[in-house]
Amino acid sequence: MLDKEHLDQIAKELHRWEAETVAPSLARFPERADSFETSAGPTARLYTPLDGAGLNYLDDLGFPGKYPYTRGVQPLMYRSRLWTMRQYAGFGTAEETNRKFRFLLSQGQMGLSVAFDLPTQIGYDSDDPHAEGEVGQAGVAIDSLCDMEALFDGIPLDRVSISMTINAPAAVLLAMLIAAAEKQGVLVAKLQGTTQNDILKEYLARGTYIFPLRPSLRLAADLITYAAREVPKWNSISVSGYHIRDAGATAVQEMAFALANAVTYIEAVRERGLEVDEFAPRISWIFNTQNNFFEEIAKYRALRRMWARLLRERFGARDPRSWMFRTHVQTGGATLTAQQPLNNIVRAAFQALATVLGGVQSLALSCYDEALALPTDEAQQIALRTQQIIAYETGVTDTVDPLAGSYFVEYLTNELERRAMQYLDRIEAMGGMVAAIEAGYVQREIQESAYAWQRAVESGEKVIVGVNRFMAEQEAQNGVPGPRAPVVRVFHVPPAVAEAQIGRLNRLRAERDSAAVEAALGRLRQAAAGDDNLLPPILDAVKVYATLGEICGTLRAVFGEYQEFAFVH
């Protein structure tokens, strides 16, 4: 953006500064031994216009609300509308989670984000032997339409957006929500929200898969296709970098692997006859903000630009809404520490600030006590208040993309994009993401990054406050009386929850029309053996109160189950 003569002059003066100013300072005050780097590589001492000399303002940055959306997907961003504040919640029975949802809405939350328990996530009913000890523990237990009705009792589904973190059985849970909305008298076309429905990342990072990879991809694509035609305001997939990052990936890997997954979904849905502009505007995202402040800001700017170019140039999307990268963010769960847990309030606050400066559309904070248990109401309230303080007290929402033009931020934005594109090209050369997963390539990359990070923490190269430096034990060893550790109230789900849930399930089975259930499951089995879209027969089964376990069991009988394999170096 500057002429060559000016850049040459800056380069000359930079060299003189290093020789005449930096060198004497280093002789007196050597640099710290800390690691100065991001996943974009080592961090330089100083950034100047030389680091962005190739940047073309109109092509690479432009204006907010216009291609390539580097500076934001809305023209006025937070001056016009704040991000959605949506804390992740769910535990125990549907009635208990319903009370939690009402509490969060009363505190000013703008939408609901549902956490499901482990049996629900992997398609088992609460009375299945595989579910023992897990019912209602990590989220709410949903066995049938009966539970879904209770979950949203008194919550108007045409006025509150619902996000559901569910993947392998996402089609079943969306069908239950549709049926529950119909029972409320809500038109399906008015439903707003998101199903995560990102099954590919389960094979990379999280493990709540059910079926083999290719039938799972079919289910995800069927849901996207059905929603595009029948539930037009619904975000039918939320492609997740979050879980990839929490599994140990770097920021660059998080970006690249999530984008590669999205490419796979787009290709699968296009094979079903949809044009990209029919469904791409409803592709949403969830990413993970961790502790490297400027890297995280640059990450969201780079992702917007990469997505816009990918959709317009590779897939030929013509609708500007298809080019817009709209993401929810959860602050980094993997960065929470069980040691000195109140420090997590500070971590989440800085992560949230970086997220907002990165220009996202929706945000949830991981609560300070989540390294210990499900969050308490107090912890949820602090997380929500943190967002509200950022929104209303700090001034960072007063102007759009306030860090644009920073030599460091623009360099990081460009470098993160460049390195992520290298991964995308490598995966494409392997035959795409499915082939890369089947070869174990992506899993190995994440495992190696996680291992490198853990070694750096254990050696002290990476400082984690309260874990490997500034511990209470150190204060005691140095004869300094440390402050008395605060009592952190830990939330526990009582065992009676499972008993209540199984009791409800038994009553349902006794009262429903068993013949109608068997007939609906038979039609689902037949559809699964063919190539019809599976959402209509799943919806039919849900409406006659077939359970989640029965529906997923029917599909298991046709598709089989995924068997994980170990990677040998």
Side-chain angles (χ1 to χ4, degrees):
M1 295 168 67
L2 299 176
D3 60 50
K4 184 177 183 304
E5 182 179 353
H6 196 175
L7 291 172
D8 287 345
Q9 183 180 358
I10 292 171
K12 181 179 177 181
E13 291 301 319
L14 176 63
H15 181 72
R16 179 181 297 174
W17 170 76
E18 289 172 340
E20 297 179 0
T21 305
V22 173
S25 179
L26 283 174
R28 295 181 61 206
F29 306 108
E31 289 183 332
R32 301 194 319 267
D34 302 31
S35 173
F36 298 104
E37 63 180 346
T38 69
S39 59
T43 301
R45 291 190 186 113
L46 185 73
Y47 289 85
T48 72
L50 296 171
D51 297 290
L55 191 71
N56 182 300
Y57 183 86
L58 293 179
D59 290 343
D60 297 327
L61 296 179
F63 295 93
K66 294 191 68 175
Y67 184 90
Y69 302 103
T70 310
R71 303 201 63 187
V73 296
Q74 299 297 335
L76 300 178
M77 288 301 289
Y78 306 136
R79 285 177 67 104
S80 175
R81 180 183 178 187
L82 291 172
W83 64 93
T84 300
M85 301 178 193
R86 189 194 304 269
Q87 286 300 118
Y88 187 49
F91 68 96
T93 64
E95 289 86 356
E96 289 171 303
T97 298
N98 177 270
R99 287 192 288 272
K100 171 76 83 170
F101 285 167
R102 288 169 180 264
F103 167 76
L104 290 170
L105 291 171
S106 75
Q107 297 299 304
Q109 185 162 298
M110 304 169 181
L112 298 175
S113 181
V114 187
F116 296 97
D117 72 357
L118 186 57
T120 302
Q121 291 181 50
I122 53 179
Y124 290 118
D125 288 335
S126 295
D127 61 352
D128 192 289
H130 292 91
E132 186 173 354
E134 292 291 345
V135 175
Q137 294 297 309
V140 62
I142 299 293
D143 291 320
S144 71
L145 173 57
C146 182
D147 293 323
M148 191 66 81
E149 291 171 298
L151 184 64
F152 294 109
D153 182 42
I155 296 173
L157 290 171
D158 55 345
R159 297 203 296 274
V160 176
S161 69
I162 308 297
S163 174
M164 298 195 292
T165 303
I166 195 72
N167 295 282
V172 185
L173 273 297
L174 177 59
M176 288 181 183
L177 185 70
I178 289 171
E182 289 176 346
K183 283 182 169 286
Q184 282 191 9
V186 172
L187 294 174
V188 174
K190 289 189 174 183
L191 275 179
Q192 297 185 64
T194 303
T195 33
Q196 189 161 100
N197 191 33
D198 177 9
I199 193 60
L200 293 177
K201 65 92 173 54
E202 296 298 324
Y203 302 98
L204 306 180
R206 195 157 172 264
T208 61
Y209 40 67
I210 301 174
F211 315 111
L213 200 156
R214 293 174 190 271
S216 293
L217 180 58
R218 171 193 174 181
L219 265 173
D222 281 354
L223 191 161
I224 296 168
T225 303
Y226 180 87
R229 292 168 173 162
E230 306 294 336
V231 201
K233 293 184 178 180
W234 191 261
N235 297 325
S236 53
I237 190 165
S238 177
V239 186
S240 176
Y242 181 89
H243 300 99
I244 293 170
R245 187 70 179 280
D246 247 15
T250 66
V252 165
Q253 291 169 337
E254 177 191 17
M255 296 167 67
F257 299 157
L259 287 168
N261 285 341
V263 167
T264 306
Y265 296 125
I266 291 172
E267 290 172 341
V269 176
R270 290 176 80 191
E271 288 174 2
R272 283 157 172 73
L274 266 67
E275 296 295 328
V276 68
D277 285 326
E278 293 184 74
F279 63 92
R282 285 292 165 187
I283 297 174
S284 65
W285 302 80
I286 174 171
F287 274 82
N288 184 321
T289 298
Q290 297 198 359
N291 286 331
N292 195 305
F293 191 76
F294 291 104
E295 178 179 44
E296 298 298 340
I297 295 165
K299 180 177 77 180
Y300 297 115
R301 302 174 81 249
L303 280 165
R304 282 194 293 272
R305 187 163 68 202
M306 291 178 74
W307 181 247
R309 288 172 172 169
L310 187 69
L311 266 288
R312 190 167 83 166
E313 295 171 13
R314 175 169 174 172
F315 290 108
R318 297 179 180 178
D319 185 342
R321 295 177 305 157
S322 298
W323 308 334
M324 293 182 185
F325 180 91
R326 299 169 298 111
T327 189
H328 173 73
V329 167
Q330 176 98 15
T331 58
T335 68
L336 300 176
T337 64
Q339 303 93 325
Q340 301 181 18
L342 293 183
N343 293 346
N344 295 328
I345 297 174
V346 182
R347 291 186 178 99
F350 279 116
Q351 291 168 8
L353 181 60
T355 302
V356 170
L357 289 168
V360 308
Q361 285 63 60
S362 177
L363 176 59
L365 271 62
S366 295
C367 297
Y368 74 85
D369 54 359
E370 285 188 62
L372 303 170
L374 290 175
T376 60
D377 284 352
E378 176 193 45
Q380 289 276 21
Q381 186 181 63
I382 289 172
L384 184 58
R385 293 289 181 260
T386 301
Q387 294 200 54
Q388 292 162 340
I389 289 168
I390 291 171
Y392 295 104
E393 297 187 21
T394 63
V396 298
T397 62
D398 291 355
T399 190
V400 181
D401 193 21
L403 293 181
S406 156
Y407 304 132
F408 183 37
V409 169
E410 297 300 356
Y411 168 83
L412 273 180
T413 302
N414 291 342
E415 189 63 13
L416 288 169
E417 178 179 3
R418 185 185 72 81
R419 292 184 181 226
M421 282 305 305
Q422 288 178 336
Y423 265 118
L424 284 171
D425 292 343
R426 203 172 303 142
I427 290 167
E428 191 70 19
M430 296 177 69
M433 197 57 163
V434 171
I437 294 171
E438 290 176 336
Y441 166 72
V442 184
Q443 297 94 311
R444 280 193 298 271
E445 288 290 301
I446 295 171
Q447 289 167 6
E448 288 170 4
S449 293
Y451 180 62
W453 172 265
Q454 187 60 37
R455 288 194 64 180
V457 171
E458 290 175 2
S459 70
E461 180 185 355
K462 295 286 186 185
V463 175
I464 309 296
V465 172
V467 175
N468 63 1
R469 199 181 295 184
F470 312 114
M471 294 107 64
E473 295 85 354
Q474 288 178 334
E475 294 174 335
Q477 289 169 5
N478 294 331
V480 179
R484 190 172 183 179
V487 176
V488 176
R489 185 166 59 92
V490 176
F491 179 84
H492 293 289
V493 178
V497 163
E499 297 171 13
Q501 185 66 19
I502 292 170
R504 183 213 295 271
L505 188 55
N506 289 335
R507 289 191 297 274
L508 171 72
R509 291 198 180 110
E511 296 169 1
R512 68 187 183 180
D513 184 339
S514 297
V517 171
E518 286 303 315
L521 293 175
R523 291 191 294 272
L524 174 60
R525 188 180 302 110
Q526 185 177 5
D531 56 8
D532 290 344
N533 191 301
L534 293 175
L535 260 292
I538 289 174
L539 185 57
D540 289 344
V542 161
K543 287 181 176 180
V544 295
Y545 292 92
T547 68
L548 173 71
E550 290 164 345
I551 293 169
C552 290
T554 298
L555 296 175
R556 277 185 172 96
V558 178
F559 297 150
E561 291 187 282
Y562 179 73
Q563 300 297 320
E564 189 176 17
F565 55 96
F567 304 112
V568 180
H569 291 267

Coordinates of all heavy atoms in Angstrom, one line a residue, residues 7-8 17 33 42 51 160 232 267 278 359 361 370 372 389 399 462 485 518 539 555 563 567:
L7 N 8.9 2.1 1.4 CA 9.2 0.8 2.0 C 10.7 0.6 2.2 O 11.2 0.1 3.2 CB 8.6 -0.3 1.2 CG 7.0 -0.4 1.2 CD1 6.6 -1.4 0.2 CD2 6.5 -0.7 2.6
D8 N 11.5 1.0 1.2 CA 12.9 0.8 1.3 C 13.5 1.7 2.4 O 14.4 1.3 3.1 CB 13.6 1.2 -0.1 CG 13.4 0.2 -1.1 OD1 13.0 -0.9 -0.8 OD2 13.6 0.5 -2.3
W17 N 17.6 0.7 13.6 CA 17.0 0.5 14.9 C 17.5 -0.7 15.6 O 17.9 -0.7 16.8 CB 15.5 0.5 14.8 CG 14.7 0.2 16.0 CD1 14.5 1.0 17.1 CD2 14.1 -1.1 16.3 NE1 13.8 0.3 18.1 CE2 13.5 -0.9 17.6 CE3 13.9 -2.3 15.6 CZ2 12.8 -2.0 18.2 CZ3 13.2 -3.3 16.2 CH2 12.7 -3.2 17.5
A33 N 12.8 -15.9 28.4 CA 13.0 -17.3 27.8 C 11.7 -17.8 27.3 O 11.6 -18.9 26.8 CB 13.6 -18.2 28.8
P42 N 6.9 -18.0 14.6 CA 7.5 -17.2 15.6 C 7.0 -15.7 15.5 O 6.7 -15.3 14.4 CB 9.0 -17.2 15.3 CG 9.2 -18.5 14.5 CD 7.9 -18.7 13.7
D51 N 5.6 -5.7 6.7 CA 4.9 -7.0 6.9 C 3.6 -7.1 6.2 O 3.0 -8.2 6.2 CB 4.8 -7.3 8.4 CG 6.1 -7.4 9.1 OD1 6.8 -8.3 8.9 OD2 6.5 -6.4 9.9
V160 N -37.9 -17.8 20.2 CA -36.5 -18.1 20.8 C -35.8 -19.0 19.9 O -36.2 -20.0 19.5 CB -36.7 -18.7 22.2 CG1 -35.3 -19.0 22.8 CG2 -37.4 -17.8 23.1
P232 N -36.7 -23.3 6.4 CA -35.8 -22.4 5.7 C -35.0 -21.4 6.6 O -34.0 -20.9 6.2 CB -36.8 -21.6 4.8 CG -38.1 -21.7 5.4 CD -38.1 -23.1 6.1
E267 N -20.2 -30.6 -1.1 CA -20.1 -31.5 -2.2 C -21.2 -32.6 -2.1 O -21.9 -33.0 -3.0 CB -18.7 -32.1 -2.3 CG -17.7 -31.1 -2.8 CD -16.3 -31.6 -2.7 OE1 -16.0 -32.6 -2.0 OE2 -15.4 -31.0 -3.4
E278 N -28.8 -22.5 -2.5 CA -30.0 -23.0 -1.8 C -29.8 -23.4 -0.4 O -30.7 -23.4 0.4 CB -30.6 -24.2 -2.5 CG -31.2 -23.9 -3.9 CD -31.8 -25.2 -4.5 OE1 -32.9 -25.5 -4.1 OE2 -31.2 -25.8 -5.4
G359 N -15.1 -10.1 15.7 CA -16.3 -9.8 14.9 C -17.2 -11.0 14.7 O -17.7 -11.2 13.6
Q361 N -20.7 -13.6 15.6 CA -22.2 -13.3 15.7 C -22.8 -13.8 17.0 O -23.9 -13.5 17.3 CB -22.9 -13.9 14.5 CG -22.7 -13.2 13.2 CD -21.2 -13.2 12.8 OE1 -20.6 -14.2 12.6 NE2 -20.7 -12.0 12.7
E370 N -16.2 -25.3 35.2 CA -16.4 -26.4 34.3 C -15.3 -27.4 34.3 O -15.5 -28.5 33.8 CB -16.8 -25.9 32.9 CG -18.2 -25.3 32.8 CD -18.6 -25.0 31.4 OE1 -18.6 -26.0 30.5 OE2 -18.8 -23.8 31.1
L372 N -14.3 -28.7 36.9 CA -14.7 -29.5 38.0 C -16.0 -30.2 37.8 O -16.1 -31.4 38.3 CB -14.7 -28.6 39.3 CG -13.5 -27.8 39.6 CD1 -13.8 -26.8 40.7 CD2 -12.4 -28.7 40.0
I389 N -20.7 -6.9 30.3 CA -19.7 -5.8 30.6 C -18.9 -5.4 29.3 O -18.7 -4.3 29.0 CB -18.8 -6.3 31.7 CG1 -19.6 -6.3 33.0 CG2 -17.6 -5.3 31.8 CD1 -18.9 -7.0 34.2
T399 N -17.0 0.9 17.3 CA -16.6 1.0 15.9 C -16.3 -0.4 15.4 O -16.1 -1.3 16.1 CB -15.3 1.9 15.8 OG1 -15.1 2.2 14.4 CG2 -14.1 1.2 16.3
K462 N 5.7 -23.4 28.1 CA 4.4 -22.8 28.1 C 4.0 -22.6 29.5 O 3.8 -23.6 30.2 CB 3.4 -23.6 27.3 CG 3.7 -23.8 25.8 CD 3.4 -22.5 25.0 CE 3.6 -22.8 23.5 NZ 3.5 -21.5 22.7
A485 N -7.6 -20.6 49.9 CA -8.2 -21.0 48.7 C -9.8 -20.8 48.8 O -10.3 -21.3 49.8 CB -7.9 -22.5 48.3
E518 N -43.9 -49.7 15.5 CA -43.2 -50.8 14.7 C -43.3 -50.5 13.2 O -42.4 -50.7 12.5 CB -43.8 -52.2 15.1 CG -43.4 -52.7 16.4 CD -41.9 -52.8 16.5 OE1 -41.2 -53.3 15.6 OE2 -41.3 -52.4 17.6
L539 N -39.0 -38.4 11.0 CA -40.1 -37.6 11.6 C -41.4 -38.3 11.9 O -42.0 -38.2 12.9 CB -40.3 -36.4 10.7 CG -41.3 -35.3 11.1 CD1 -40.9 -34.7 12.5 CD2 -41.5 -34.2 10.1
L555 N -31.3 -47.8 12.5 CA -30.3 -47.4 11.6 C -29.0 -48.2 11.8 O -28.3 -48.5 10.8 CB -30.0 -45.9 11.7 CG -31.2 -45.0 11.3 CD1 -30.8 -43.5 11.6 CD2 -31.6 -45.2 9.9
Q563 N -16.0 -48.5 13.9 CA -15.0 -49.1 14.8 C -13.7 -48.2 14.6 O -13.1 -48.1 13.6 CB -14.7 -50.5 14.4 CG -15.9 -51.5 14.4 CD -16.4 -51.6 15.8 OE1 -15.6 -51.7 16.8 NE2 -17.7 -51.6 16.0
F567 N -3.6 -45.4 15.6 CA -2.6 -45.0 14.6 C -1.3 -45.3 15.1 O -0.9 -44.9 16.2 CB -2.8 -43.5 14.3 CG -4.2 -43.1 13.9 CD1 -5.0 -42.4 14.7 CD2 -4.7 -43.5 12.7 CE1 -6.3 -42.0 14.3 CE2 -5.9 -43.2 12.3 CZ -6.8 -42.5 13.1

